[in-house]
Amino acid sequence: MRTWLFAVLFAAPLACFAQAYPARAVQVIVPFPAGSAPDIVARTLTERLSAAWGQGVAVENRPGAGGIPGMTALIKSPPTGYTLAIVPATVLTLTPFLFKEARFDVDRDIVPVAPVATTPLVLAARPESGIRSLAELVAAAKKSPDKVEVAVLANGATHYGLQYFNSVAGLRLFPVPYNGSPAALAAVLGGHHPALFEGLAPLLGSVRAGKLVPLAVSSASRLPGYESVPTIAETYPGFTVSGWLGVFAPAGTPPGVIERINADVDAVLKEPQVVARLAELIFYPFAGTPAELAEFVKRERVLWTKIARDAGIQPQ
């Protein structure tokens, strides 16, 4: 009887706290630059959360160093739910391998709150290259190992994702790293390389103008509106590599508050105008509980640990 009473008395303040949340403005850290796709997704989400909560939700961009400045700010914040972060996949999966001092521990310092969205990568080529399908890219790579250059983003998911594709397909496509999507795209359109591996969103203008041919996407299934573009997994079963975004909080944030935020994020992601806006950016809502997000992140980290080790990444 006493144990039951203690549990009820202990749970009551937490329930009240969650019910009252948020009683003031909420800060959301985005460890990517303003204007980037993760930033636009974050602002789309926070604008609707602000309306739902009746409180201000301010986005603070803390880019650079693989997301370390943003994650450091997050884990140093009080675990009250009033400081959150919308974190891109690479910050949790690749940063620990790229930097000797990541300054945050995924298992110890943060807790998952809510998944937000996924976005695929795409292999694309210039029509003038003569490569118009994944089969033709593979044939070219097999005919001339290390000669077929593919532009990628330096030390990111496309860079090491291409190496992962090489290992799965038994190929030797040659990655040429660039600092940023505009530089990689300009190099390919300028005729310096026949192909690139990138997120689809930065390439849409060139694809629609016929300047690029999408060969295959890295998602598990074909994309709405782009059903004519096959997945890599259709040729190489099991190959799926996607970007994603999730909401995270400092470790120690009350479970009731996490559940409240999770429910509200889930509701916002079902709003038709939000779904439409994300689709414009080639992001697709990704609902789930905090526990499901935790399990998803765990699987992603296992995958990227293997990719990082196979690629021989040396932390800087």
Side-chain angles (χ1 to χ4, degrees), residues 2-20 254-257 259:
R2 288 183 179 178
T3 301
W4 175 84
L5 181 60
F6 175 79
V8 170
L9 291 175
F10 179 74
L14 293 180
C16 292
F17 183 40
Q19 192 174 14
V257 171
E259 291 173 7

Side-chain angles (χ1 to χ4, degrees), residues 194-255:
L196 77 167
F197 193 34
E198 232 300 36
L200 180 54
L203 311 184
L204 281 181
S206 298
V207 168
R208 289 167 178 163
K211 296 179 180 179
L212 283 176
V213 177
L215 309 178
V217 292
S218 67
S219 50
S221 58
R222 297 195 183 197
L223 305 180
Y226 300 90
E227 289 84 359
S228 63
V229 182
T231 67
I232 296 174
E234 289 173 34
T235 304
Y236 300 97
F239 182 92
T240 56
V241 174
S242 293
W244 48 266
L245 294 166
V247 180
F248 293 82
T253 300

Side-chain angles (χ1 to χ4, degrees), residues 38-56:
D39 174 69
I40 296 171
V41 172
R43 291 177 187 275
T44 300
L45 180 63
T46 55
E47 179 181 334
R48 297 305 305 144
L49 286 175
S50 178
W53 288 341
Q55 297 288 348

Side-chain angles (χ1 to χ4, degrees), residues 117-136:
T118 62
T119 185
L121 306 177
V122 62
L123 278 164
R126 282 185 303 110
E128 298 82 1
S129 69
I131 298 171
R132 290 181 168 271
S133 69
L134 181 62
E136 291 178 351

Side-chain angles (χ1 to χ4, degrees), residues 53-65:
W53 288 341
Q55 297 288 348
V57 182
V59 172
E60 179 181 353
N61 298 96
R62 294 223 180 184

Side-chain angles (χ1 to χ4, degrees), residues 16 21-22 27 39 44 53 58 65 78 100 121 135 140 147-148 178 181 200 223 238 273 309:
C16 292
Y21 177 91
Q27 177 191 35
D39 174 69
T44 300
W53 288 341
K100 290 180 179 179
L121 306 177
K147 300 292 185 182
V148 180
Y178 284 87
S181 301
L200 180 54
L223 305 180
Q273 65 268 38
R309 287 175 178 168

